[in-house]
Amino acid sequence: MTDAIHFKIEGLAGYPLRQIEDPRGDVLHMLRSDNPYFTVFGEIYFSFINPGMVKAWKKHYKMTQRFAVPVGRIRLVVFDGRENSPSKGTLEIVEIGRPDQYHLVTIPPGVWYGFQGISRGPAMIANSPDIPHDPSESVRLPEHDPTIPYHWPPIKA
Amino acid sequence: MTDAIHFKIEGLAGYPLRQIEDPRGDVLHMLRSDNPYFTVFGEIYFSFINPGMVKAWKKHYKMTQRFAVPVGRIRLVVFDGRENSPSKGTLEIVEIGRPDQYHLVTIPPGVWYGFQGISRGPAMIANSPDIPHDPSESVRLPEHDPTIPYHWPPIKA
């Protein structure tokens, strides 16, 4: 087990994942019930993001997200607006994708996050949060909301 | 919830999954802890299979596999050699892939299974078995083993 990656935002963490090469098709790890950082299984689903496209902003009240990106590459942006957080006001930009950044990234509840597709083809996020999707426990802001200090750059598809 | 798909082999089942279209990138369901067919979370990992390539044969003693194919398309072949199975001797061929066959397919322990990539590009299987990978609870046979009545056809890449 490689060491965890620490970010500036409290509760945001990265865990390098194994990629097992095979000429027939590689095998990629994501999450096991005996991983030290596993908590509870809520769901597993996939979110595709086309080149240059943005899905932002979202905040969950209860849910921890667990992202891996087995296809393509994304830019994940996280903003900590939590009142009592030691990292309040911090913005973090994390690239996730193979082969050099194939990590499990956990996003704690209470922070704003969004992502953009930055690979030539579509990227696929696999997300395994700790509770199943429940629309009542999340809120959204528009992609260019001025209260979040980040501007999504245009990217040519 | 759409009805389950029944196969001839006892314990093999399919569950149609939701595909939510979005011009920025679609969202695809796989498995939730509150699905009636969910049991226990063991692991989630990804197995790619290149066009025409085969990964076969494997049998698990304890593990139930749960396959979804969010990228590309596979031919899954399952052979029931279980002594006390009502479907003993049955061979089943199942195609899985978007958009018309985007299903969760559960493979019970005790049967032989293998798969082949049949899409133009690589296919990706997401597998969420009910126990984490343990090499001591599975056995393998060569791809062309004569005890299994199936011949993997050559497919041009």
Side-chain angles (χ1 to χ4, degrees):
Chain A
M1 179 69 58
T2 319
D3 285 345
I5 301 158
H6 295 284
F7 297 107
K8 299 185 298 279
I9 291 179
E10 188 80 9
L12 187 69
Y15 304 92
L17 293 170
R18 268 193 79 191
Q19 302 173 67
I20 302 155
E21 288 187 21
D22 184 319
R24 298 169 302 171
D26 295 348
V27 170
L28 307 185
H29 282 193
M30 179 170 172
L31 185 65
R32 291 168 59 116
S33 60
D34 55 2
N35 284 144
Y37 47 85
F38 176 73
T39 54
V40 177
F41 174 75
E43 183 171 358
I44 173 78
Y45 71 90
F46 311 110
S47 182
F48 287 81
I49 183 84
N50 292 321
M53 292 288 181
V54 172
K55 291 184 178 179
W57 298 94
K58 202 169 185 183
K59 178 168 80 170
H60 291 272
Y61 293 114
K62 298 177 187 167
M63 184 189 280
T64 295
Q65 316 288 308
R66 288 180 288 230
F67 278 19
V69 180
V71 176
R73 201 170 181 92
I74 68 159
R75 175 179 296 129
L76 170 71
V77 181
V78 184
F79 177 66
D80 188 354
R82 294 171 295 186
E83 271 312 318
N84 299 312
S85 169
S87 50
K88 191 191 169 196
T90 303
L91 184 96
E92 194 106 39
I93 301 171
V94 184
E95 284 194 14
I96 323 177
R98 299 181 68 188
D100 54 319
Q101 306 281 353
Y102 184 62
H103 303 147
L104 187 81
V105 174
T106 61
I107 306 170
V111 300
W112 291 103
Y113 71 94
F115 49 85
Q116 185 171 32
I118 59 169
S119 42
R120 185 186 294 262
M124 194 197 88
I125 297 164
N127 185 15
S128 184
D130 60 353
I131 54 173
H133 175 67
D134 167 7
S136 74
E137 67 80 42
S138 66
V139 276
R140 291 174 189 274
L141 279 177
E143 179 181 331
H144 294 296
D145 192 276
T147 65
I148 297 178
Y150 184 75
H151 176 74
W152 296 98
I155 292 180
K156 266 192 202 154
Chain B
M1 176 70 59
T2 319
D3 284 346
I5 300 157
H6 296 283
F7 298 107
K8 299 185 299 275
I9 291 178
E10 188 80 12
L12 188 69
Y15 304 93
L17 294 169
R18 266 192 82 189
Q19 303 173 65
I20 302 154
E21 288 186 23
D22 185 321
R24 298 168 303 171
D26 294 348
V27 169
L28 306 185
H29 282 194
M30 179 171 172
L31 185 65
R32 291 168 59 117
S33 61
D34 55 3
N35 284 142
Y37 48 84
F38 176 74
T39 53
V40 177
F41 175 75
E43 182 171 357
I44 173 77
Y45 72 91
F46 312 110
S47 183
F48 287 81
I49 184 83
N50 292 321
M53 293 288 182
V54 172
K55 292 185 178 178
W57 297 95
K58 202 170 186 185
K59 178 167 80 172
H60 290 271
Y61 293 116
K62 298 177 189 170
M63 183 190 279
T64 294
Q65 317 287 307
R66 286 180 290 228
F67 278 18
V69 180
V71 176
R73 200 169 182 95
I74 68 160
R75 176 179 295 130
L76 169 71
V77 182
V78 183
F79 177 66
D80 187 355
R82 294 171 295 184
E83 270 312 318
N84 298 314
S85 169
S87 49
K88 190 190 170 198
T90 303
L91 185 95
E92 195 105 41
I93 301 172
V94 184
E95 284 195 13
I96 322 176
R98 298 181 68 188
D100 54 319
Q101 306 281 352
Y102 183 62
H103 304 147
L104 187 80
V105 174
T106 61
I107 307 171
V111 300
W112 291 104
Y113 71 94
F115 50 86
Q116 185 171 33
I118 60 169
S119 42
R120 186 186 292 262
M124 195 196 89
I125 297 164
N127 185 15
S128 183
D130 60 351
I131 54 173
H133 176 67
D134 167 7
S136 74
E137 67 77 44
S138 66
V139 277
R140 290 175 191 273
L141 278 177
E143 180 181 329
H144 294 296
D145 192 276
T147 65
I148 298 179
Y150 184 75
H151 176 74
W152 296 97
I155 294 180
K156 267 192 201 154

